[in-house]
């Protein structure tokens, strides 16, 4: 990720030596969130079955949330002096989210497959919250908000599978 050079107005961090590492965490989260938004649209188009209409509409709500979170994450990166990269080539090479099959998928399969991916992204970001906080508490707060939203989505997906809260 490119660093904005020669700026004297960058926010001070709890640990300035970790500035690049914080930028890398934000870039990784950005890639996963953009990829989730693309996968969400793919599933929005490919869902079939008795509950397809509801899942189709719900997917657009999730896509909107992922796009908003991606924006907040990217803007935190640029606030810290990094230029985030949310372009397709970068997301394709750097995302850690598994692609979905390009075919019609039954509603409950869509909910299961999506829930698994949302959980994986949430777990990866959660696992980095403590070291991120040691370097920059504000970025930790941004990523905590991401995890909170993803975990709420996990719950909303889980209940659609008939699992108890
Ligand atoms: Fe649509």
């Amino acid at each position: 990720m490119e660093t904005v050079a020669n700026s004297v107005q960058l926010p001070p961090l709890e640990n300035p030596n970790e500035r690049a590492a914080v930028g890398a965490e934000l870039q990784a989260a950005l890639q996963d969130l953009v990829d989730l938004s693309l996968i969400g649209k793919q599933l929005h188009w490919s869902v079939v079955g008795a509950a397809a209409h509801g899942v189709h509409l719900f997917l657009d709500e999730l896509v909107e949330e992922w796009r908003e979170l991606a924006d907040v994450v990217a803007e935190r990166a640029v606030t810290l002096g990094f230029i985030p990269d949310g372009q397709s080539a970068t997301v394709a090479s750097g995302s850690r989210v598994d692609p979905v099959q390009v075919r019609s998928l039954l509603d409950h399969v869509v909910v299961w497959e999506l829930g698994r991916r949302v959980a994986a992204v949430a777990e990866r970001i959660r696992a980095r919250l403590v070291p991120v906080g040691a370097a920059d508490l504000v970025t930790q707060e941004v990523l905590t908000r991401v995890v909170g939203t993803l975990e709420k989505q996990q719950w909303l997906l889980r209940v659609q599978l008939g699992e108890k809260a």
Side-chain angles (χ1 to χ4, degrees):
M1 198 184 321
E2 185 184 335
T3 304
V4 179
N6 300 325
S7 175
V8 294
Q9 298 190 38
L10 294 174
L13 305 185
E14 277 67 29
N15 183 352
N17 296 328
E18 292 294 316
R19 183 177 295 272
V22 171
E25 297 289 350
L26 288 163
Q27 175 64 35
L30 172 66
Q31 289 165 181
D32 285 358
L33 288 165
V34 171
D35 206 10
L36 276 179
S37 75
L38 296 172
I39 286 169
K41 267 297 185 188
Q42 180 67 32
L43 296 172
H44 170 85
W45 298 320
S46 56
V47 62
V48 298
H53 184 63
V55 173
H56 171 82
L57 297 177
F58 181 52
L59 280 162
D60 261 353
E61 292 176 26
L62 296 180
V63 167
E64 189 58 33
E65 289 182 348
W66 293 324
R67 289 184 58 81
E68 280 180 25
L69 290 174
D71 191 47
V72 172
V73 166
E75 289 177 1
R76 181 62 192 160
V78 81
T79 297
L80 292 179
F82 298 100
I83 304 297
D85 190 349
Q87 298 178 97
S88 59
T90 302
V91 172
S93 63
S95 168
R96 300 164 294 184
V97 184
D98 295 334
V100 294
Q101 289 181 291
V102 182
R103 49 166 293 188
S104 297
L105 292 167
L106 283 167
D107 40 38
H108 68 274
V109 174
V110 165
V111 171
W112 170 261
E113 291 291 330
L114 196 57
R116 174 167 90 70
R117 286 166 176 78
V118 170
V121 174
E123 284 170 26
R124 276 196 296 269
I125 299 175
R126 180 188 266 280
R128 303 294 303 154
L129 286 177
V130 170
V132 166
D136 177 21
L137 285 170
V138 179
T139 295
Q140 182 189 51
E141 193 277 330
V142 167
L143 293 177
T144 300
R145 177 180 157 196
V146 171
V147 173
T149 303
L150 294 174
E151 290 181 350
K152 181 180 176 185
Q153 293 171 349
Q154 272 179 258
W155 159 58
L156 292 171
L157 289 161
R158 197 167 68 233
V159 295
Q160 291 184 47
L161 293 172
E163 294 184 20
K164 291 179 182 171

